[in-house]
Amino acid sequence: MSFAVDVITLFPEAVADYARTSILGRAAAEGHWRLRTLDPRSWTADVHRTVDDTPYGGGAGMVMRPEPIVDLVESVPDLARPVLALTPAGRPFTQADARRLAAGTGLTLLCGRYEGIDQRAVDLVANEEVSVGDFVLAGGELAALCVMEAVVRLVPGVLGNEDSLEEESFGAGLLEYPHYTRPATYRGRDVPAVLRSGDHAAIAAWRRAQSLARTRDRRPDLLARRGGLSATERELLDRHRLDDPAPGE
Ligand code: ADE
């Protein structure tokens, strides 16, 4: 059975269009996963098909009403689980979440528009509330696409080269090392000589040092979470003259 993604959204075309055009599109055509969009507007009962209303307590904007969302979830018997609600007030979505979800059978992404979704609907139907970053989008759709792509690319068979998953950013709690391709010299800048040496141990050590230095300079929070640098890692950075952040970095 292929991996199932359901997206609850007022903009089903935006979600389906992206899923069709990216690498995800080919993977769906090959049967590795399937996407279904569900529009809460189809679960409204009134003649105006109202999905939003003014917020209790006052304030700007409109809030998505609970009934269409809860009715939708309760009337689709094979809805994919778990259900994740996208909101800037959620906990940060991480690569560890993507790995955990890709190991399951699917997921449902609940997108809010306007100022958000009535919290009772979220509490009733969502297993988790997640954010894709400390910034505010106009709605949950782009966030849902981020989560969908991060998860589906890890589903077995979707990516051609599964080795590349081991080394990429966050694989070991570190940022990825820099990549280079031809030409060997471009605008006066040389590809690091070690990468052209054919010495696989030296290349691995250089890449490891680059990952550690990048993470230390750009994401000290990630480095702290894995317990900082070990004595061996400090020595590796020293040896590659990466002991201090370069000026401007
Ligand atoms: N909806 C609006 N902004 C969002 C964010 N940063 N993450 C998840 N959902 C959102």
Side-chain angles (χ1 to χ4, degrees):
M1 202 192 60
S2 84
F3 193 82
V5 179
D6 286 322
V7 181
I8 301 172
T9 170
L10 294 171
F11 299 90
E13 280 314 310
V15 173
D17 281 352
Y18 180 75
R20 246 193 310 277
T21 53
S22 64
I23 106 163
L24 302 184
R26 196 193 58 202
E30 290 170 354
H32 295 299
W33 75 293
R34 64 99 174 132
L35 170 67
R36 174 172 59 181
T37 55
L38 301 157
D39 187 344
R41 211 174 280 283
S42 304
W43 275 264
T44 50
D46 64 307
V47 43
H48 299 294
R49 311 183 90 196
T50 316
V51 289
D52 61 337
D53 207 335
T54 52
Y56 274 114
M62 299 291 272
V63 175
M64 286 178 72
R65 294 169 50 215
E67 306 96 312
I69 290 167
V70 174
D71 290 351
L72 183 165
V73 168
E74 290 183 346
S75 68
V76 177
D78 62 343
L79 194 79
R81 307 281 169 171
V83 178
L84 273 68
L86 286 310
T87 159
R91 72 170 170 77
F93 181 82
T94 66
Q95 189 66 16
D97 293 312
R99 277 189 225 108
R100 166 177 58 88
L101 292 161
T105 57
L107 78 161
T108 290
L109 296 162
L110 171 58
C111 304
R113 275 268 149 181
Y114 317 108
E115 291 307 303
I117 300 172
D118 186 289
Q119 189 62 36
R120 292 164 297 181
V122 176
D123 293 344
L124 283 166
V125 309
N127 301 104
E128 306 175 38
E129 292 178 71
V130 297
S131 165
V132 297
D134 291 343
F135 44 81
V136 181
L137 301 164
E141 282 74 18
L142 274 177
L145 288 174
C146 289
V147 169
M148 183 171 88
E149 184 160 304
V151 172
V152 171
R153 69 188 282 280
L154 299 181
V155 168
V158 169
L159 275 196
N161 178 6
E162 304 202 354
D163 287 349
S164 66
L165 296 179
E166 296 292 317
E167 299 229 324
E168 68 186 11
S169 287
F170 313 113
L174 296 175
L175 301 184
E176 199 175 9
Y177 50 79
H179 299 274
Y180 297 90
T181 185
R182 282 180 291 197
T185 303
Y186 179 66
R187 302 214 174 173
R189 297 160 187 244
D190 294 336
V191 168
V194 61
L195 297 180
R196 306 179 63 206
S197 69
D199 180 342
H200 295 298
I203 291 169
W206 181 87
R207 287 178 166 167
R208 177 105 189 126
Q210 291 292 323
S211 277
L212 290 164
R214 269 191 167 179
T215 311
R216 176 199 59 198
D217 298 344
R218 300 177 180 180
R219 294 294 305 275
D221 58 311
L222 288 182
L223 204 58
R225 208 171 304 160
R226 70 189 277 286
L229 293 169
S230 71
T232 321
E233 288 167 349
R234 281 181 202 288
E235 201 259 326
L236 180 70
L237 288 175
D238 254 18
R239 198 148 28 88
H240 287 86
R241 300 184 187 284
L242 292 165
D243 38 341
D244 274 320
E249 269 195 53

